[in-house]
Amino acid sequence: PAITEGERRKNMEEKKQLIDGLLDLYNDYQILFTLFGDEDYKHVMSVAMVKIKKTASELYSNKKLAN
């Protein structure tokens, strides 16, 4: 069965919240990496960015991204 407009909007909102949380995580780990230089922090940043890009691609797959 097709998803309703309400379900589509809820899904979009959940993806936006996921991106916000991942950006917070990325920024926190960027600060930790800058302070301590531990490559584990950089790895977490890379994983978070992959997930951010994937989720954004799903969220905006039918829309043009603004410059």
Side-chain angles (χ1 to χ4, degrees), residues 14-30 44-56:
E14 288 173 352
K15 287 183 181 189
K16 287 178 183 180
Q17 288 177 3
L18 176 60
I19 290 170
D20 286 345
L22 287 167
L23 286 169
D24 288 341
L25 177 82
Y26 181 91
N27 290 332
D28 291 346
Y29 275 77
Q30 186 176 38
V44 173
M45 291 166 55
S46 296
V47 171
M49 188 55 66
V50 167
K51 185 66 177 173
I52 290 166
K53 288 179 179 181
K54 180 182 182 297
T55 305

Side-chain angles (χ1 to χ4, degrees):
I3 63 170
T4 66
E5 180 65 19
E7 291 171 325
R8 187 185 68 78
R9 287 179 189 235
K10 181 180 177 190
N11 187 11
M12 288 178 65
E13 186 59 36
E14 288 173 352
K15 287 183 181 189
K16 287 178 183 180
Q17 288 177 3
L18 176 60
I19 290 170
D20 286 345
L22 287 167
L23 286 169
D24 288 341
L25 177 82
Y26 181 91
N27 290 332
D28 291 346
Y29 275 77
Q30 186 176 38
I31 291 168
L32 291 169
F33 178 71
T34 300
L35 290 174
F36 302 110
D38 189 327
E39 289 296 317
D40 288 341
Y41 297 133
K42 195 171 186 177
H43 175 73
V44 173
M45 291 166 55
S46 296
V47 171
M49 188 55 66
V50 167
K51 185 66 177 173
I52 290 166
K53 288 179 179 181
K54 180 182 182 297
T55 305
S57 174
E58 293 168 1
L59 184 61
Y60 299 108
S61 63
N62 294 325
K63 299 177 184 177
K64 287 189 175 182
L65 296 176
N67 290 334

